[in-house]
Amino acid sequence: MALAEGWKQRRKRNPLLRALRFALLALVAVLVLPYLLVLAYASSVVHPVSTLMLVDAAVGRSYERSWVAFDDIAPVLVQSVMMSEDGQYCAHGGVDWNALNLVIDDALEGEATRGASTIPMQVAKNLFLPAVRSVIRKGLEIPLALWADLVWSKKRTMEIYLNIAEWAPGVFGIEAAAQTYFGVPAADLSGRQSALLAVTLPNPHARNAAKPSRGMTRMARTIEKRAAQSGAYIKCLYD
């Protein structure tokens, strides 16, 4: 009895043990919190912010973002983004395993890899994880994407994605992007404007939808054609 009491007293006095216990509890909280937030973000009245927006706010940088409902976004913009970023969006459950396995095989063989991030994976990254690329981040991103795809409808996932994506430095969300680049609301974007915005997404700090390079213009033409033929791919959003 006395030995047990003595151990308890030593443990209470040991600051290292207390610090380790606190660090472990903090780690568990950080890992669990995103899964709880996914449940909260299922409601359409909640307008989530991304980690990049939080960083901008923390360092005193201003940013633009006006939330817009999914039904107030031009369908051609949705089609263009889907065809550019995640053509199998309606078919997979948050992760495109075929594309991911191809990337893993290429990496193991020492070949250059291409992106395999689905829209749910990008939403998970933008909402909950740092922008630094790493294997650890990808390992956290995949289960979060699967969970989000299970909890949210496809329409809600796309709505969140289009409202938190960065389209230009300090410009987040499709409404702010449409106004910044073309002076129109997201509901009035044309097919060409939508395609240019879609090809801007992978590198918004280097690409300008209003002043596209030849390469951007060429990619936008391809995306515009794909969007016009995408009826079979978008049924999960408009049926």
Side-chain angles (χ1 to χ4, degrees), residues 20 41 72 77 106 114 120-121 163 225:
L20 287 173
Y41 293 166
D72 293 326
L77 182 279
D106 288 346
R114 54 189 178 277
M121 289 170 69
N163 277 287
K225 290 177 183 176

Side-chain angles (χ1 to χ4, degrees), residues 18-201:
R18 288 202 303 273
L20 287 173
R21 188 169 12 168
F22 177 80
L24 181 60
L25 290 173
L27 178 61
V28 170
V30 167
L31 292 175
V32 171
L33 182 60
Y35 291 87
L36 298 178
L37 289 175
V38 166
L39 293 173
Y41 293 166
S43 171
S44 61
V45 302
V46 180
H47 299 167
V49 296
S50 70
T51 54
L52 288 177
M53 291 185 222
L54 292 174
V55 169
D56 281 352
V59 300
R61 285 195 299 261
S62 62
Y63 66 84
E64 297 178 55
R65 201 279 287 268
S66 297
W67 187 276
V68 62
F70 179 84
D71 291 334
D72 293 326
I73 300 171
V76 69
L77 182 279
V78 178
Q79 293 168 308
S80 299
V81 168
M82 189 185 297
M83 290 298 97
S84 178
E85 296 288 292
D86 188 356
Q88 297 303 312
Y89 179 69
C90 287
H92 61 65
V95 176
D96 186 339
W97 295 108
N98 290 330
L100 189 61
N101 287 333
L102 287 174
V103 169
I104 293 172
D105 289 343
D106 288 346
L108 291 175
E109 293 173 7
E111 298 180 11
T113 59
R114 54 189 178 277
S117 287
T118 61
I119 284 174
M121 289 170 69
Q122 292 183 58
V123 170
K125 175 195 71 177
N126 290 343
L127 283 179
F128 306 120
L129 302 172
V132 179
R133 298 183 66 173
S134 70
V135 174
I136 293 175
R137 194 202 73 187
K138 189 63 68 177
L140 296 171
E141 186 180 303
I142 289 173
L144 276 170
L146 294 171
W147 174 238
D149 191 81
L150 180 66
V151 173
W152 301 336
S153 67
K154 290 288 188 179
K155 184 180 290 190
R156 176 60 174 165
T157 301
M158 183 64 77
E159 180 182 60
I160 292 175
Y161 178 64
L162 295 176
N163 277 287
I164 65 171
E166 187 177 26
W167 304 79
V171 177
F172 296 90
I174 186 57
E175 182 66 23
Q179 295 285 357
T180 297
Y181 281 125
F182 302 116
V184 299
D188 293 340
L189 286 164
S190 68
R192 177 54 56 87
Q193 290 168 341
S194 296
L196 286 168
L197 283 165
V199 300
T200 298
L201 274 173

